[in-house]
Amino acid sequence: MLDAGPHAERDRMTDQIATLLSEQRRFPPPQAFAAHAIAQPALYEEAARDRLAFWENEARALDWIRPWTTTLEWRLPHAKWFVGGQLNVAANCIDRHLAGPRRNKAAIIWEGEPGDRRVLTYWELAREVGRAANALKRLGVRRGDRVAIYLPMIPEAAIAMLACARIGAVHSVVFGGFSAESLRDRINDAQAVALITADGGYRRGQIVPLKRFADEAIAECPSIRHVMVVQRRPGGAGDESFAEMKEGRDHWWHRLLDPENPHCPAEAMDAEDLLFILYTSGTTGKPKGIVHTTGGYLTQVTSTTRYVFDLRDDDVFWCTADIGWVTGHSYVVYGPLANGATVLMYEGAPDWPERDRFWKLVARWGVTVFYTAPTAIRAFMKWGTDHPARHDLSTLRLLGSVGEPINPEAWIWYRKHIGGGRCPIVDTWWQTETGGIMITPLPGVTVTKPGSATVPFPGIGAELVDTTGKALPKGGGFLTLTEPWPGMLRTIYGDDDRYRETYWSRFPGRYFAGDGAKLDDDGYWWILGRVDDVLNVAGHRIGTMEVESALVDHPAVAEAAVVGKAHELKGQALAAFVTLKEGNAATAELKDDLKEHVAKKIGAIARPDDVLFSADLPKTRSGKIMRRLLKDIAEGRALGDTTTLADPNVVARLKEQYEGQES
Ligand code: WTA
């Protein structure tokens, strides 16, 4: 699983650790913030004294239909939380806010890329979700059925998720930037019975024709019985020409919902009933369906949202993630809404129509808590300080970062130019698999260090280990989780063996996150990034094997190896080494064609930056491609040990070729 081998990983980590060790800056919590912070230092002590009691207490903040009888049932690697308890996630995110003053509070403030706006109060959200839930039922969607959601960032994305949760259907959201083929594979793996999509969405002024991609996908999805289509296209009402509707199968969302009753009873779900499946890249060519359940997941996202973002009733919380990623699930929809917060949702790109769009949004809506990815921060840095400086960002009081390691310079820039030097920064480490935040500062409590995600959230157990699985008190190694946590994935959909193998076999008894990390003298975590064949491109997880499979699917390609190379803005970019089948010429056109082919197979996020044609790929004598050496070549480094190669000359030739060639 650790393709590059322990030594290579250790060398690479040693370099990174040396750089991070020079980071000496410390930022104690501002006193004014600390005085009123929701999180208090005692939380750590409470959780350390009795971990389960801590989580029970957090779970009690939710509305339960029936209380649980057992807090945790742990049969490694399978955990059950709050066993015997019953609740409904949508009722927790909506209904319980309707009785008090939150009834008329904005739940979702939305802005489309072209500038259209919509504000939904909790009351209005309740009615929309109720009608959508009844519409799903009318189409025959039952408790336990899987529903695929392929939508732009519009309120209907949240409404669709909550409608599924309300009736006990399991949603599988597929990011709108994924291709038809990716959508098809995800639908088929989950055997979804319905798909919710839109005629289109906006991205940098262009319309992304989602319904057309969806049609292409479901031509090969026999399980899909119904398609609901949200009308997003501007020019608006009555213009139905953008999406071709198939009689009997396709239904306009607005027409279907219009006659429905806004009241739909919330299903009593068991704590361990499935809430959603979310596909993510792994180390094989096939994405895995991460399974999350109801009670534990909601407990962890509700608790972390409250403490990590210090969320209050008058906050406007903006998490910039798309709903297609786990960050959108946990911190656009479930965590904030369960807390009765106001969330801002924005459909489009940060540089449309200008590079100050985000700051315009912050100023217009008075955003107070802002949560984004290092990739975005690095882009803002590059675009210059003028853009944020032109807008009033004084409402901001807390900033967050997620998805990739944040380099100290980006952290400092973020603090100064976005946070005005006054906002604490929470750098939060977690994964699709963990469901919620795991390692993070608590604002008002934790002293922060630029580039460090600091310490585990209360009630979370993390340990650094070496290659043999021995726990290390400090230094460099692998990040593992030592205790089951409420929001943890329960399995991989339909493949429990893969679940055991992927997460629990590398270090027996521990969950291995796939990340390398450093633990400093103060016990602070510095996450160094993936050590497996998963890349993190602009905060998006992409498996090298997935891209390789897409490449070898092209008729001209014999063999392909894909590696990540360091990239100033995206963190990592994809470099592909390709050998062609006999009779194919290595032309510039073919290069473009291959990049396009990958975008079509997976989605534009997986398009390689570089494609290099090569007569051979460096292999060990047993035939294994040495990706580590390819990475060295792609990043312009001196070559490491090549003695285990079947033909050492291959690498030297490749290096020469790579350096001499524009890709
Ligand atoms: C990386 C996103 C450093 C890490 C929530 C992890 C981070 C992967 C951080 C999960 C962080 C996430 N610092 N690295 N604060 N947060 N990562 O599943 O490599 O899309 O394993 O979940 O992102 O990506 P995923």
Side-chain angles (χ1 to χ4, degrees):
M1 187 173 163
L2 300 174
D3 172 69
H7 297 299
E9 278 315 325
R10 218 172 34 223
D11 293 349
R12 198 168 308 143
M13 275 198 241
T14 311
D15 288 352
Q16 285 170 292
I17 289 167
T19 322
L20 287 173
L21 270 179
S22 60
E23 180 52 61
Q24 293 299 334
R25 289 167 286 195
R26 304 279 178 278
F27 294 87
Q31 233 154 38
F33 196 106
H36 302 283
I38 292 178
Q40 291 297 322
L43 277 184
Y44 289 112
E45 291 143 38
E46 266 168 49
R49 226 177 2 252
D50 190 343
R51 204 175 79 84
L52 291 187
F54 170 80
W55 285 119
E56 282 166 10
N57 206 30
E58 294 306 301
R60 275 195 285 271
L62 302 176
D63 268 5
W64 292 80
I65 298 166
R66 201 171 75 194
W68 63 91
T69 48
T70 310
T71 305
L72 170 65
E73 243 179 66
W74 178 223
R75 293 199 187 85
L76 196 137
H78 292 114
K80 288 185 180 166
W81 282 86
F82 310 115
V83 184
Q86 285 190 332
L87 74 166
N88 183 280
V89 168
N92 270 282
C93 290
I94 305 172
D95 304 31
R96 65 188 181 131
H97 308 313
L98 299 180
R102 285 178 181 156
R103 178 188 190 277
N104 302 318
K105 173 182 173 174
I108 297 175
I109 296 173
W110 173 79
E111 218 176 281
E113 196 188 69
D116 37 350
R117 301 186 185 116
R118 220 172 134 193
V119 177
L120 284 159
T121 64
Y122 272 95
W123 176 256
E124 290 172 304
L125 181 64
R127 291 175 62 86
E128 289 294 296
V129 169
R131 293 195 303 154
N134 280 325
L136 283 169
K137 279 201 207 168
R138 188 175 303 275
L139 294 180
V141 176
R142 304 264 168 269
R143 181 179 171 132
D145 284 346
R146 274 81 54 221
V147 175
I149 298 176
Y150 186 57
L151 284 172
M153 276 296 276
I154 53 177
E156 284 78 5
I159 294 167
M161 290 163 75
L162 290 160
C164 288
R166 191 156 193 95
I167 65 171
V170 177
H171 59 70
S172 163
V173 182
V174 179
F175 172 53
F178 276 124
S179 66
E181 289 189 32
S182 293
L183 175 63
R184 177 198 66 196
D185 294 348
R186 285 159 174 76
I187 289 175
N188 287 339
D189 188 76
Q191 289 291 292
V193 300
L195 169 67
I196 303 176
T197 186
D199 46 3
Y202 286 91
R203 190 75 192 172
R204 291 212 170 76
Q206 302 287 312
I207 294 176
V208 184
L210 291 170
K211 175 65 162 67
R212 283 187 200 151
F213 296 151
D215 283 342
E216 208 182 310
I218 52 186
E220 295 170 51
C221 297
S223 62
I224 293 285
R225 297 196 297 260
H226 292 284
V227 181
M228 288 169 79
V229 186
V230 178
Q231 195 174 56
R232 170 70 189 104
R233 196 169 178 240
D239 182 2
E240 296 176 2
S241 58
F242 206 71
E244 245 174 66
M245 301 295 278
K246 190 168 156 190
E247 189 69 36
R249 184 195 72 180
D250 298 352
H251 317 268
W252 285 106
W253 169 276
H254 57 286
R255 293 211 186 138
L256 207 58
L257 263 64
D258 192 48
E260 290 297 343
N261 188 328
H263 302 287
C264 173
E267 282 284 311
M269 305 303 291
D270 285 335
E272 282 300 331
D273 276 337
L274 264 61
L275 176 63
F276 66 84
I277 303 169
L278 183 58
Y279 286 83
T280 189
S281 293
T283 50
T284 73
K286 192 172 169 271
K288 43 198 183 183
I290 302 301
V291 169
H292 282 291
T293 59
T294 302
Y297 171 80
L298 194 65
T299 298
Q300 188 168 340
V301 298
T302 307
S303 164
T304 49
T305 303
R306 194 166 114 78
Y307 293 124
V308 176
F309 300 112
D310 192 58
L311 221 54
R312 295 145 199 283
D313 261 319
D314 55 357
D315 274 315
V316 176
F317 178 57
W318 185 16
C319 163
T320 66
D322 192 280
I323 224 114
W325 309 107
V326 75
T327 310
H329 284 58
S330 301
Y331 299 105
V332 176
V333 181
Y334 293 121
L337 296 181
N339 279 288
T342 296
V343 299
L344 175 65
M345 247 175 113
Y346 167 59
E347 178 189 31
D351 54 353
W352 190 267
E354 300 293 337
R355 290 172 165 179
D356 65 349
R357 184 62 184 272
F358 272 22
W359 319 125
K360 256 192 174 139
L361 281 157
V362 168
R364 176 190 308 282
W365 298 107
V367 172
T368 56
V369 183
F370 179 72
Y371 188 35
T372 196
T375 289
I377 299 167
R378 288 190 293 263
F380 301 144
M381 277 175 84
K382 190 175 152 222
W383 296 341
T385 52
D386 284 359
H387 299 293
R390 268 209 305 278
H391 298 276
D392 177 8
L393 307 182
S394 63
T395 50
L396 288 172
R397 63 182 196 87
L398 178 61
L399 304 175
S401 171
V402 61
E404 314 149 67
I406 179 165
N407 42 311
E409 286 334 300
W411 195 102
I412 294 286
W413 187 93
Y414 193 30
R415 182 174 188 278
K416 180 165 176 207
H417 295 286
I418 306 304
R422 70 183 178 276
C423 304
I425 296 181
V426 287
D427 172 7
T428 62
W429 177 86
W430 59 294
Q431 309 180 295
T432 305
E433 291 87 342
T434 69
I437 292 170
M438 302 293 280
I439 299 182
T440 178
L442 290 181
V445 177
T446 316
V447 175
T448 52
K449 304 182 187 184
S452 168
T454 74
V455 295
F457 187 79
I460 298 297
E463 242 171 29
L464 190 76
V465 298
D466 67 10
T467 47
T468 67
K470 191 170 93 33
L472 302 170
K474 60 180 181 177
F478 303 105
L479 166 51
T480 65
L481 301 170
T482 52
E483 311 263 16
W485 62 101
M488 72 188 265
L489 78 164
R490 299 306 196 252
T491 187
I492 291 174
Y493 192 73
D495 199 348
D496 199 55
D497 287 343
R498 190 173 173 197
Y499 167 70
R500 289 170 183 275
E501 164 63 29
T502 308
Y503 303 106
W504 301 92
S505 68
R506 178 73 176 79
F507 301 112
R510 299 166 179 274
Y511 170 92
F512 174 45
D515 281 312
K518 179 204 130 185
L519 205 51
D520 71 15
D521 291 341
D522 299 327
Y524 273 43
W525 288 88
W526 302 73
I527 314 295
L528 303 175
R530 308 287 309 195
V531 294
D532 54 10
D533 292 334
V534 174
L535 303 179
N536 195 329
V537 178
H540 299 145
R541 267 170 78 164
I542 297 169
T544 49
M545 294 277 282
E546 270 176 87
V547 184
E548 287 166 7
S549 319
L551 284 167
V552 297
D553 172 80
H554 190 282
V557 175
E559 202 171 25
V562 170
V563 297
K565 63 169 205 173
H567 188 278
E568 195 197 344
L569 289 182
K570 300 193 269 191
Q572 281 189 305
L574 297 173
F577 295 79
V578 170
T579 63
L580 295 174
K581 286 184 188 152
E582 207 66 50
N584 289 284
T587 61
E589 289 75 49
L590 182 56
K591 223 176 241 188
D592 290 341
D593 195 34
L594 290 181
K595 291 182 185 176
E596 202 40 48
H597 188 71
V598 175
K600 185 161 173 4
K601 298 284 295 181
I602 303 173
I605 52 168
R607 188 196 306 267
D609 273 25
D610 304 342
V611 172
L612 189 92
F613 294 123
S614 156
D616 294 290
L617 293 174
K619 289 190 184 152
T620 59
R621 280 174 216 120
S622 58
K624 197 165 149 33
I625 296 178
M626 294 286 281
R627 287 206 186 75
R628 172 175 60 87
L629 291 174
L630 293 175
K631 194 170 156 71
D632 288 342
I633 293 172
E635 294 184 340
R637 252 193 314 275
L639 294 176
D641 183 10
T642 56
T643 51
T644 54
L645 289 178
D647 177 3
N649 293 325
V650 170
V651 201
R653 276 201 303 271
L654 259 178
K655 190 171 161 66
E656 226 169 81
Q657 196 187 338
Y658 198 93
E659 283 161 6
Q661 175 173 320
E662 276 293 300
S663 47

